[in-house]
mmCIF file with all atom_site columns, all heavy atoms in Angstrom:
data_model
loop_
_atom_site.group_PDB
_atom_site.id
_atom_site.type_symbol
_atom_site.label_atom_id
_atom_site.label_alt_id
_atom_site.label_comp_id
_atom_site.label_asym_id
_atom_site.label_entity_id
_atom_site.label_seq_id
_atom_site.pdbx_PDB_ins_code
_atom_site.Cartn_x
_atom_site.Cartn_y
_atom_site.Cartn_z
_atom_site.occupancy
_atom_site.B_iso_or_equiv
_atom_site.pdbx_formal_charge
_atom_site.auth_seq_id
_atom_site.auth_comp_id
_atom_site.auth_asym_id
_atom_site.auth_atom_id
_atom_site.pdbx_PDB_model_num
ATOM 1  N N   . ARG A 1 173 ? 31.488 67.175 9.517  1.00 0.00 ? 173 ARG A N   1
ATOM 2  C CA  . ARG A 1 173 ? 31.582 66.899 10.953 1.00 0.00 ? 173 ARG A CA  1
ATOM 3  C C   . ARG A 1 173 ? 32.719 67.657 11.634 1.00 0.00 ? 173 ARG A C   1
ATOM 4  O O   . ARG A 1 173 ? 33.109 67.340 12.750 1.00 0.00 ? 173 ARG A O   1
ATOM 5  C CB  . ARG A 1 173 ? 31.699 65.386 11.220 1.00 0.00 ? 173 ARG A CB  1
ATOM 6  C CG  . ARG A 1 173 ? 30.560 64.587 10.585 1.00 0.00 ? 173 ARG A CG  1
ATOM 7  C CD  . ARG A 1 173 ? 30.614 63.115 10.889 1.00 0.00 ? 173 ARG A CD  1
ATOM 8  N NE  . ARG A 1 173 ? 29.553 62.401 10.160 1.00 0.00 ? 173 ARG A NE  1
ATOM 9  C CZ  . ARG A 1 173 ? 29.325 61.098 10.250 1.00 0.00 ? 173 ARG A CZ  1
ATOM 10 N NH1 . ARG A 1 173 ? 30.083 60.352 11.040 1.00 0.00 ? 173 ARG A NH1 1
ATOM 11 N NH2 . ARG A 1 173 ? 28.358 60.531 9.549  1.00 0.00 ? 173 ARG A NH2 1
ATOM 12 N N   . VAL A 1 213 ? 20.287 51.893 8.316  1.00 0.00 ? 213 VAL A N   1
ATOM 13 C CA  . VAL A 1 213 ? 20.900 51.899 6.994  1.00 0.00 ? 213 VAL A CA  1
ATOM 14 C C   . VAL A 1 213 ? 21.210 53.318 6.533  1.00 0.00 ? 213 VAL A C   1
ATOM 15 O O   . VAL A 1 213 ? 22.229 53.570 5.882  1.00 0.00 ? 213 VAL A O   1
ATOM 16 C CB  . VAL A 1 213 ? 19.991 51.170 5.969  1.00 0.00 ? 213 VAL A CB  1
ATOM 17 C CG1 . VAL A 1 213 ? 18.676 51.937 5.744  1.00 0.00 ? 213 VAL A CG1 1
ATOM 18 C CG2 . VAL A 1 213 ? 20.724 50.957 4.654  1.00 0.00 ? 213 VAL A CG2 1
ATOM 19 N N   . THR A 1 214 ? 20.359 54.285 6.917  1.00 0.00 ? 214 THR A N   1
ATOM 20 C CA  . THR A 1 214 ? 20.597 55.684 6.561  1.00 0.00 ? 214 THR A CA  1
ATOM 21 C C   . THR A 1 214 ? 21.833 56.212 7.280  1.00 0.00 ? 214 THR A C   1
ATOM 22 O O   . THR A 1 214 ? 22.670 56.912 6.680  1.00 0.00 ? 214 THR A O   1
ATOM 23 C CB  . THR A 1 214 ? 19.376 56.532 6.911  1.00 0.00 ? 214 THR A CB  1
ATOM 24 O OG1 . THR A 1 214 ? 18.232 56.017 6.214  1.00 0.00 ? 214 THR A OG1 1
ATOM 25 C CG2 . THR A 1 214 ? 19.585 57.990 6.518  1.00 0.00 ? 214 THR A CG2 1
ATOM 26 N N   . ARG A 1 215 ? 21.979 55.859 8.553  1.00 0.00 ? 215 ARG A N   1
ATOM 27 C CA  . ARG A 1 215 ? 23.136 56.306 9.324  1.00 0.00 ? 215 ARG A CA  1
ATOM 28 C C   . ARG A 1 215 ? 24.426 55.716 8.772  1.00 0.00 ? 215 ARG A C   1
ATOM 29 O O   . ARG A 1 215 ? 25.445 56.391 8.671  1.00 0.00 ? 215 ARG A O   1
ATOM 30 C CB  . ARG A 1 215 ? 22.975 55.950 10.800 1.00 0.00 ? 215 ARG A CB  1
ATOM 31 C CG  . ARG A 1 215 ? 21.763 56.578 11.469 1.00 0.00 ? 215 ARG A CG  1
ATOM 32 C CD  . ARG A 1 215 ? 21.885 56.574 12.984 1.00 0.00 ? 215 ARG A CD  1
ATOM 33 N NE  . ARG A 1 215 ? 22.155 55.251 13.533 1.00 0.00 ? 215 ARG A NE  1
ATOM 34 C CZ  . ARG A 1 215 ? 21.227 54.350 13.851 1.00 0.00 ? 215 ARG A CZ  1
ATOM 35 N NH1 . ARG A 1 215 ? 19.937 54.635 13.629 1.00 0.00 ? 215 ARG A NH1 1
ATOM 36 N NH2 . ARG A 1 215 ? 21.553 53.190 14.378 1.00 0.00 ? 215 ARG A NH2 1
ATOM 37 N N   . ARG A 1 216 ? 24.386 54.431 8.413  1.00 0.00 ? 216 ARG A N   1
ATOM 38 C CA  . ARG A 1 216 ? 25.595 53.793 7.888  1.00 0.00 ? 216 ARG A CA  1
ATOM 39 C C   . ARG A 1 216 ? 25.981 54.374 6.528  1.00 0.00 ? 216 ARG A C   1
ATOM 40 O O   . ARG A 1 216 ? 27.162 54.540 6.221  1.00 0.00 ? 216 ARG A O   1
ATOM 41 C CB  . ARG A 1 216 ? 25.378 52.282 7.762  1.00 0.00 ? 216 ARG A CB  1
ATOM 42 C CG  . ARG A 1 216 ? 25.132 51.561 9.071  1.00 0.00 ? 216 ARG A CG  1
ATOM 43 C CD  . ARG A 1 216 ? 26.345 51.565 10.019 1.00 0.00 ? 216 ARG A CD  1
ATOM 44 N NE  . ARG A 1 216 ? 26.559 52.836 10.697 1.00 0.00 ? 216 ARG A NE  1
ATOM 45 C CZ  . ARG A 1 216 ? 25.847 53.241 11.753 1.00 0.00 ? 216 ARG A CZ  1
ATOM 46 N NH1 . ARG A 1 216 ? 24.857 52.489 12.226 1.00 0.00 ? 216 ARG A NH1 1
ATOM 47 N NH2 . ARG A 1 216 ? 26.104 54.393 12.339 1.00 0.00 ? 216 ARG A NH2 1
ATOM 48 N N   . ALA A 1 217 ? 24.995 54.695 5.704  1.00 0.00 ? 217 ALA A N   1
ATOM 49 C CA  . ALA A 1 217 ? 25.289 55.312 4.413  1.00 0.00 ? 217 ALA A CA  1
ATOM 50 C C   . ALA A 1 217 ? 25.923 56.685 4.607  1.00 0.00 ? 217 ALA A C   1
ATOM 51 O O   . ALA A 1 217 ? 26.870 57.054 3.894  1.00 0.00 ? 217 ALA A O   1
ATOM 52 C CB  . ALA A 1 217 ? 24.017 55.423 3.588  1.00 0.00 ? 217 ALA A CB  1
ATOM 53 N N   . ALA A 1 218 ? 25.412 57.439 5.587  1.00 0.00 ? 218 ALA A N   1
ATOM 54 C CA  . ALA A 1 218 ? 25.994 58.757 5.877  1.00 0.00 ? 218 ALA A CA  1
ATOM 55 C C   . ALA A 1 218 ? 27.422 58.614 6.389  1.00 0.00 ? 218 ALA A C   1
ATOM 56 O O   . ALA A 1 218 ? 28.304 59.400 6.027  1.00 0.00 ? 218 ALA A O   1
ATOM 57 C CB  . ALA A 1 218 ? 25.131 59.487 6.893  1.00 0.00 ? 218 ALA A CB  1
ATOM 58 N N   . ASP A 1 219 ? 27.673 57.609 7.229  1.00 0.00 ? 219 ASP A N   1
ATOM 59 C CA  . ASP A 1 219 ? 29.026 57.377 7.736  1.00 0.00 ? 219 ASP A CA  1
ATOM 60 C C   . ASP A 1 219 ? 29.988 57.038 6.600  1.00 0.00 ? 219 ASP A C   1
ATOM 61 O O   . ASP A 1 219 ? 31.128 57.524 6.568  1.00 0.00 ? 219 ASP A O   1
ATOM 62 C CB  . ASP A 1 219 ? 29.016 56.233 8.757  1.00 0.00 ? 219 ASP A CB  1
ATOM 63 C CG  . ASP A 1 219 ? 28.353 56.621 10.067 1.00 0.00 ? 219 ASP A CG  1
ATOM 64 O OD1 . ASP A 1 219 ? 28.195 57.832 10.311 1.00 0.00 ? 219 ASP A OD1 1
ATOM 65 O OD2 . ASP A 1 219 ? 27.983 55.707 10.832 1.00 0.00 ? 219 ASP A OD2 1
ATOM 66 N N   . ALA A 1 220 ? 29.523 56.192 5.667  1.00 0.00 ? 220 ALA A N   1
ATOM 67 C CA  . ALA A 1 220 ? 30.376 55.800 4.547  1.00 0.00 ? 220 ALA A CA  1
ATOM 68 C C   . ALA A 1 220 ? 30.694 56.995 3.656  1.00 0.00 ? 220 ALA A C   1
ATOM 69 O O   . ALA A 1 220 ? 31.839 57.173 3.207  1.00 0.00 ? 220 ALA A O   1
ATOM 70 C CB  . ALA A 1 220 ? 29.699 54.693 3.737  1.00 0.00 ? 220 ALA A CB  1
ATOM 71 N N   . ARG A 1 221 ? 29.700 57.834 3.411  1.00 0.00 ? 221 ARG A N   1
ATOM 72 C CA  . ARG A 1 221 ? 29.907 59.018 2.580  1.00 0.00 ? 221 ARG A CA  1
ATOM 73 C C   . ARG A 1 221 ? 30.860 59.994 3.271  1.00 0.00 ? 221 ARG A C   1
ATOM 74 O O   . ARG A 1 221 ? 31.753 60.573 2.634  1.00 0.00 ? 221 ARG A O   1
ATOM 75 C CB  . ARG A 1 221 ? 28.568 59.693 2.295  1.00 0.00 ? 221 ARG A CB  1
ATOM 76 C CG  . ARG A 1 221 ? 28.669 60.870 1.331  1.00 0.00 ? 221 ARG A CG  1
ATOM 77 C CD  . ARG A 1 221 ? 27.293 61.321 0.869  1.00 0.00 ? 221 ARG A CD  1
ATOM 78 N NE  . ARG A 1 221 ? 26.440 61.733 1.965  1.00 0.00 ? 221 ARG A NE  1
ATOM 79 C CZ  . ARG A 1 221 ? 25.395 61.031 2.420  1.00 0.00 ? 221 ARG A CZ  1
ATOM 80 N NH1 . ARG A 1 221 ? 25.078 59.867 1.861  1.00 0.00 ? 221 ARG A NH1 1
ATOM 81 N NH2 . ARG A 1 221 ? 24.657 61.477 3.425  1.00 0.00 ? 221 ARG A NH2 1
ATOM 82 N N   . PHE A 1 222 ? 30.687 60.164 4.573  1.00 0.00 ? 222 PHE A N   1
ATOM 83 C CA  . PHE A 1 222 ? 31.578 61.031 5.338  1.00 0.00 ? 222 PHE A CA  1
ATOM 84 C C   . PHE A 1 222 ? 33.018 60.529 5.275  1.00 0.00 ? 222 PHE A C   1
ATOM 85 O O   . PHE A 1 222 ? 33.954 61.310 5.059  1.00 0.00 ? 222 PHE A O   1
ATOM 86 C CB  . PHE A 1 222 ? 31.105 61.105 6.789  1.00 0.00 ? 222 PHE A CB  1
ATOM 87 C CG  . PHE A 1 222 ? 32.150 61.553 7.769  1.00 0.00 ? 222 PHE A CG  1
ATOM 88 C CD1 . PHE A 1 222 ? 32.590 62.864 7.774  1.00 0.00 ? 222 PHE A CD1 1
ATOM 89 C CD2 . PHE A 1 222 ? 32.711 60.659 8.678  1.00 0.00 ? 222 PHE A CD2 1
ATOM 90 C CE1 . PHE A 1 222 ? 33.567 63.287 8.670  1.00 0.00 ? 222 PHE A CE1 1
ATOM 91 C CE2 . PHE A 1 222 ? 33.684 61.074 9.570  1.00 0.00 ? 222 PHE A CE2 1
ATOM 92 C CZ  . PHE A 1 222 ? 34.109 62.385 9.568  1.00 0.00 ? 222 PHE A CZ  1
ATOM 93 N N   . ALA A 1 223 ? 33.216 59.223 5.449  1.00 0.00 ? 223 ALA A N   1
ATOM 94 C CA  . ALA A 1 223 ? 34.567 58.664 5.431  1.00 0.00 ? 223 ALA A CA  1
ATOM 95 C C   . ALA A 1 223 ? 35.237 58.874 4.078  1.00 0.00 ? 223 ALA A C   1
ATOM 96 O O   . ALA A 1 223 ? 36.419 59.217 4.005  1.00 0.00 ? 223 ALA A O   1
ATOM 97 C CB  . ALA A 1 223 ? 34.521 57.177 5.773  1.00 0.00 ? 223 ALA A CB  1
#
Side-chain angles (χ1 to χ4, degrees):
R173 305 183 185 182
V213 66
T214 302
R215 300 198 306 273
R216 297 294 76 78
D219 289 343
R221 185 169 59 253
F222 160 70

